């Protein structure tokens, strides 16, 4: 046995010098067992023998053996020595997963992301510094599932002022973005026995899938020039709509439909989820206030920092009807869905000190200019393409002549390194919807914007 | 009509001076409608008439009316003027929810939270600054559902070095804490058809409830001096265990059971979830390495920054068997469960620059001293109480004489402002388990620690 071991010992390339002799021995033994050089069942030399061979203290070897026994690598029995324990054999391998986007994206005109190059790093960091130095240490623990009071208070002021939301801090629930907010609402709806959620025929397929994953059935609402067809709500238990700026069609829910929608919710006891994803960005006129204000007990207002600052912050918020607050909190509490305390405090400070408003004003101006440039360029370079929807938000809808194939255009763009989505990506029904492109003009950094829209024009029909 | 309006107008207390006349008019109208002073159906004066009454431009009034029509507060029809629209009536009320802990906590000896007063704010902020200034702006978008590469790389180095985990960056999945990690795993298990998860008889009731909420059935494992009774695993599809330091009993899973557990998983295809919640904190000897290393394809290693830094960071990690990586990522992707980019980058930088190791070394020393002081004080003041479990972690188990009632002691402590948990809070079976207290000695800040344990001794049997 000692002979076998001596051979293995040579293989170990032990560096038994310096102060960490025992640690080195342990690592070497672990690696040798893991790599299969020391096979299960192999009896090790006594600690005395190995210590002599290696010229180290016997206790060092005994301690290392003891450690590896405790960890399950070695086994021992009084009188039977120490041997390599049985264990399932499986060498760790590098995981290879398939890349999700094979084509290299050089220019990104997909909707949904703001210009991240303008994220106000300096101001944000300064807000973090102020927030961290002012914070009681207790907020770094498991905090209020509603979100920290500082952020809920700041959001209350901001949402009432900027979006006309009817809100008190007690009705605000901080979440990690709209997706988590929707997930919480679906779970609360499900627990109340809800079965269907009406959603706009055009929208993020992600949210449709999320609703399905939560055991609810999505029911489509047609979308026309006046927004979602509210008269189709019928017997749905809830409705998810984008009244300020339909995504991706770009229309506003007309006034009469807003009223009819809240009346439907009030009459039927159903819940409206108002996704105000880009409510801050309207360029042609003052933004239409939140629909939630018409019926705060029947409409959930949902917003986030994903378009106004950056999705990477993972901060969103719900303003809930009173009857839903406890239910949503119970779910958050059970699953311990909390957002980072430091980022909550930072956003609270950033709003309170005026940094948030300043950033949005700047972004609004920049996006408005981009939209104007896009529209002007299309008029010149691709007169057959029609830009529809209101002058707002972070995306535009480009209607193509009916003979064009949006799939072909998207493919041609991709071949040139330009990522862009066709309207069909956002449409559940595979019907022959008019060919169109959804252009997210906010995503590229400034220096890449002109090239991006030039490349876009190059693949459009002239 | 104009007469009715004139009265209402007087009630509005409009401040129609300054540059924001139109905004002021809108706010006043909205408030008057919301508050019920302008009732549905009330016809408003023409914009011309109101402008004259108020001495402002007609367009200002017309614009304000238009805005409120778009928002649904007013309705209008060509030739019929403008009136207050119908809407569901419901005044917003302040939500009153019942307080969760009626008794005021002045001293907290509950387990599960580290000493938050020592959170390294300055070093953390410095790491944020370095991380933010080095980051590519793209990481602020919707990022890799695994977590940012920088953090996965830093964790790979750390976990291999400090906890002996077999890990590559591709197997690390960042999550918002252990609860989210467990939730993701339960969803993945469920999708594979799993039905039962074996859990230790003593543990956090939160995790039991979470497993149930995800549609899986928890199966109890007895816990004795050698840890969980692995021979009871039988036909479970998965097992959640705390091998390094059973919570809250405080024992280590003995070597033979470690091996038997991984052999069971390998033979049956079941999954072991190793909750290494306080693996860094062992005081009497070198910590036992992660069990995961014995069988990386059958054991999920789960850790977090909640005990090592602060729960408020909401950062945790799973090291997954290869076969589970894609499944867990698909769930994360669908529900858009991402952690804050800035905090991920900060933790990566904090680990890489050595700040994490320094903080843990300091904390380990401090907690060890606290444990020693607690043990010494108990020996002197409450000799009938026996401290059991290994010298490790952030909590101790205090066995009480069998005639004592832990409920009474907990109540006496609470009456004096001291929060502490009885063992029964962590035991699923309502059997007559030995009376004991679970003392979280890490939670109080340093200045409150002595008073906290003095108060504890005062309510213990002498």
């Amino acid at each position: 046995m000692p002979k076998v071991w001596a051979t293995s010992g040579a293989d170990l390339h032990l560096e038994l010098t310096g102060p960490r002799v025992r640690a080195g021995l342990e690592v070497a033994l672990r690696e040798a067992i893991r790599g299969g050089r020391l096979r299960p069942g192999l009896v090790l030399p006594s600690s005395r023998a190995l210590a002599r061979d290696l010229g180290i203290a016997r206790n060092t070897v005994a301690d290392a053996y003891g450690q590896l026994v405790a960890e399950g690598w070695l086994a021992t029995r009084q009188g039977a020595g120490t041997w390599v324990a049985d264990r399932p054999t499986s060498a760790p391998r590098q995981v290879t997963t398939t890349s999700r986007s094979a084509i290299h994206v050089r220019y990104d005109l997909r909707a949904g992301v703001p210009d991240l190059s303008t994220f106000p790093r300096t101001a944000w960091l300064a807000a973090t510094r102020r927030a961290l130095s002012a914070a009681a240490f207790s907020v770094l623990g498991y905090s209020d599932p509603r979100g920290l009071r500082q952020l809920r208070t700041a959001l209350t002021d901001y949402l009432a002022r900027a979006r006309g939301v009817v809100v008190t801090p007690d009705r605000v629930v901080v979440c990690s973005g709209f997706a988590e907010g929707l997930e919480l609402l679906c779970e609360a709806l499900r627990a109340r026995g809800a079965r269907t959620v009406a959603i706009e025929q055009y929208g993020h397929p992600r949210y449709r899938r999320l609703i399905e994953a939560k055991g609810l059935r999505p029911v489509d609402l047609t979308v026309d020039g006046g927004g979602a067809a509210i008269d189709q709500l019928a017997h749905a238990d809830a409705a998810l709509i984008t009244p300020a700026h339909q995504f991706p069609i770009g229309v506003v829910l007309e006034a009469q439909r807003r009223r009819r929608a809240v009346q439907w919710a009030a009459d039927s006891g159903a819940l409206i989820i108002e996704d105000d994803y880009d409510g801050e960005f309207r360029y042609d006129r003052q933004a239409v206030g939140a629909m939630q204000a018409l019926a705060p007990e029947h409409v959930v207002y949902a917003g986030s920092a994903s378009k106004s600052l950056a999705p990477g912050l993972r901060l969103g918020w719900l303003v809930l009807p009173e009857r839903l607050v406890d239910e949503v909190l119970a779910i958050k509490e059970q699953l311990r869905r909390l957002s980072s305390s430091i980022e909550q405090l930072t956003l609270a400070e950033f709003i309170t000190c005026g940094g948030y408003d300043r950033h949005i004003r700047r972004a609004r101006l920049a996006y408005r200019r981009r939209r104007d440039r896009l529209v002007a360029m299309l008029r010149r370079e691709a007169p057959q393409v029609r830009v529809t929807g209101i002058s707002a938000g972070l995306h535009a809808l480009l209607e193509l002549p009916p003979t064009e194939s949006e799939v072909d255009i998207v493919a041609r763009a991709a071949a040139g390194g330009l990522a862009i989505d066709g309207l069909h990506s956002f449409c559940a029904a595979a019907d022959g919807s008019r060919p169109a492109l959804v252009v997210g003009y906010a995503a590229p950094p400034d220096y890449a914007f002109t090239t991006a829209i030039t490349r876009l024009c190059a693949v459009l029909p002239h």
Side-chain angles (χ1 to χ4, degrees), chain A:
Chain A
M1 276 305 166
K3 208 154 178 194
V4 174
W5 166 253
T7 315
S8 308
D11 282 343
L12 295 178
H13 301 297
L14 295 179
E15 290 189 31
L16 294 176
T17 54
R20 305 189 56 106
V21 173
R22 174 182 150 192
L25 181 59
E26 279 177 33
V27 168
L29 285 170
R30 240 187 247 113
E31 286 305 318
I33 298 169
R34 189 181 287 152
R37 278 179 293 164
L38 300 186
R39 298 192 175 281
L42 178 75
V43 177
L44 298 189
S46 70
S47 55
R48 182 191 304 270
L50 183 59
R52 202 180 43 225
D53 282 2
L54 297 173
I56 60 179
R58 182 184 167 188
N59 271 353
T60 306
V61 177
D63 287 352
Y65 279 12
Q67 176 70 23
L68 295 177
V69 167
E71 294 181 7
W73 299 102
L74 301 179
T76 187
R77 203 170 42 239
Q78 195 64 37
T82 303
W83 64 93
V84 177
D86 282 325
R87 56 188 277 272
T89 51
S90 59
R93 275 176 299 158
Q94 191 81 7
V95 181
T96 51
T97 45
T98 49
S99 164
R100 272 149 217 263
S101 60
I103 294 168
H104 180 59
V105 174
R106 290 182 59 197
Y107 298 97
D108 196 345
L109 287 178
R110 286 174 294 194
V113 180
D115 179 359
L116 299 169
S117 72
T118 63
F119 182 81
R121 299 186 191 208
T122 312
W124 186 260
L125 185 71
T128 305
R129 179 166 37 71
R130 290 194 300 273
L132 251 184
S133 65
F137 61 76
S138 58
V139 302
L140 295 169
Y142 293 104
S143 57
D144 190 333
R146 292 166 202 265
L148 293 177
R149 184 187 43 74
Q150 291 91 327
L151 179 56
R152 289 183 291 113
T153 305
L155 283 171
T156 296
D157 293 347
Y158 175 78
L159 294 174
R161 172 166 55 78
R163 302 295 300 127
V165 177
V166 175
V167 52
T168 57
D170 283 342
R171 287 163 182 256
V172 177
V173 172
V174 175
C175 51
S176 77
F178 179 71
E180 192 195 48
L182 181 59
E183 201 188 333
L184 291 167
L185 292 170
C186 284
E187 289 182 12
L189 285 166
R190 192 72 208 286
R192 292 182 155 225
R195 293 201 223 158
T196 54
V197 178
I199 60 172
E200 294 162 333
Q201 167 193 21
Y202 292 95
H204 270 297
R206 170 184 303 281
Y207 301 139
R208 169 184 296 271
R209 287 196 304 263
L210 197 154
I211 289 165
E212 285 169 345
K214 291 289 147 187
L216 295 162
R217 190 165 55 84
V219 181
D220 281 341
L221 301 176
T222 314
V223 174
D224 60 26
I230 297 303
D231 53 358
Q232 296 167 6
L233 283 170
H235 304 299
D237 298 307
L240 166 61
I241 45 184
T242 51
H245 190 212
Q246 206 285 328
F247 184 86
I249 301 297
V251 296
V252 177
L253 187 64
E254 64 183 26
Q256 204 191 14
R257 294 192 192 177
R258 283 167 74 98
R259 293 197 308 272
R260 290 234 308 279
V262 297
Q263 196 62 56
W264 162 77
D267 292 346
S268 65
L271 188 74
I272 293 175
I273 303 166
E274 177 178 19
D275 179 8
D276 195 40
Y277 69 103
D278 69 355
E280 278 97 350
F281 298 108
R282 178 100 194 221
Y283 314 128
D284 55 341
R285 51 166 286 170
Q286 187 185 350
V288 174
M291 190 167 96
Q292 181 263 8
L294 293 175
E297 294 308 332
H298 306 286
V299 181
V300 175
Y301 175 88
S304 86
S306 298
K307 309 287 179 284
S308 55
L309 277 166
L313 295 180
R314 309 315 300 141
L315 286 172
W317 40 86
L318 302 175
V319 179
L320 294 174
E322 180 175 346
R323 61 188 161 121
L324 271 183
V325 171
D326 282 344
E327 291 171 46
V328 168
L329 289 180
I331 295 164
K332 279 201 82 176
E333 169 63 23
Q334 176 171 52
L335 303 176
R336 209 159 234 176
R337 297 263 183 80
L338 303 172
S339 299
S340 152
S341 300
I342 296 178
E343 297 230 318
Q344 288 189 63
L345 292 174
T346 302
L347 180 58
E349 169 63 25
F350 195 64
I351 293 173
T352 308
C353 77
Y356 193 69
D357 283 273
R358 269 194 298 279
H359 179 68
I360 284 175
R361 261 200 311 276
R362 260 197 302 265
R364 191 187 288 131
L365 187 63
Y367 296 152
R368 176 190 191 144
R369 285 198 185 124
R370 287 191 181 191
R371 190 185 164 95
D372 290 348
R373 280 178 61 200
L374 173 70
V375 170
M377 191 136 169
L378 288 171
R379 196 173 296 142
R380 208 167 54 230
E381 305 285 332
Q384 291 190 64
V385 170
R386 207 164 67 92
V387 181
T388 61
I390 57 170
S391 180
L394 281 60
H395 77 275
L397 189 73
L398 272 50
E399 289 188 6
L400 302 168
T403 52
E404 293 289 327
S405 153
E406 69 180 57
V407 177
D408 288 352
I409 292 176
V410 168
R412 281 209 301 276
L418 174 69
I420 193 166
D421 285 314
L423 178 59
H424 71 276
S425 317
F426 302 103
C427 184
D431 68 347
S433 76
R434 47 190 178 177
L437 300 176
V438 181
V439 177
Y441 48 77
D446 248 350
Y447 62 80
F449 181 67
T450 307
T451 316
I453 59 174
T454 306
R455 295 210 173 193
L456 171 62
C457 287
V459 296
L460 289 175
H462 296 282

